[in-house]
Amino acid sequence: MTTHHCGAHSHASENHHDHSHAPSPEKLAAASSEKVAECPVMEGTPVIKAEAEQAGLYREYQGKRYWLCCEGCGPLFDASPEEYAHSG
């Protein structure tokens, strides 16, 4: 089980559907599919690309951009990008 910390919250990968950093259903409905990505660290967690970029929640790896759902995902991606780069 992979666990990481987003602020004061701890998230386990099995509970990714309960992840509190996902955009609201209203925001997701308003965003086109090209504007939404999946967090590679917390698979299944949608990310609105523009919001992630504005917050600095993205990484570049091997010429591809990956958008992250929260600050806690950044260090995990940085530590092992090859583990997470298959997603997103």
Side-chain angles (χ1 to χ4, degrees):
M1 172 169 80
T2 302
T3 302
H4 78 276
H5 301 278
C6 297
H9 305 285
S10 176
H11 301 284
S13 60
E14 284 90 336
N15 296 324
H16 66 270
H17 60 277
D18 293 329
H19 196 266
S20 63
H21 297 283
S24 69
E26 294 81 17
K27 284 186 176 183
L28 281 175
S32 67
S33 61
E34 300 87 44
K35 295 181 181 184
V36 177
E38 180 180 308
C39 178
V41 178
M42 291 299 296
E43 292 182 1
T45 303
V47 178
I48 295 178
K49 295 175 182 179
E51 290 180 4
E53 289 187 15
Q54 188 174 30
L57 298 174
Y58 63 91
R59 297 294 190 269
E60 300 283 341
Y61 180 69
Q62 295 185 340
K64 185 174 177 186
R65 181 163 285 190
Y66 296 88
W67 294 271
L68 308 170
C69 65
C70 67
E71 290 181 13
C73 290
L76 292 171
F77 187 95
D78 294 341
S80 189
E82 65 283 348
E83 180 181 342
Y84 300 110
H86 67 280
S87 302

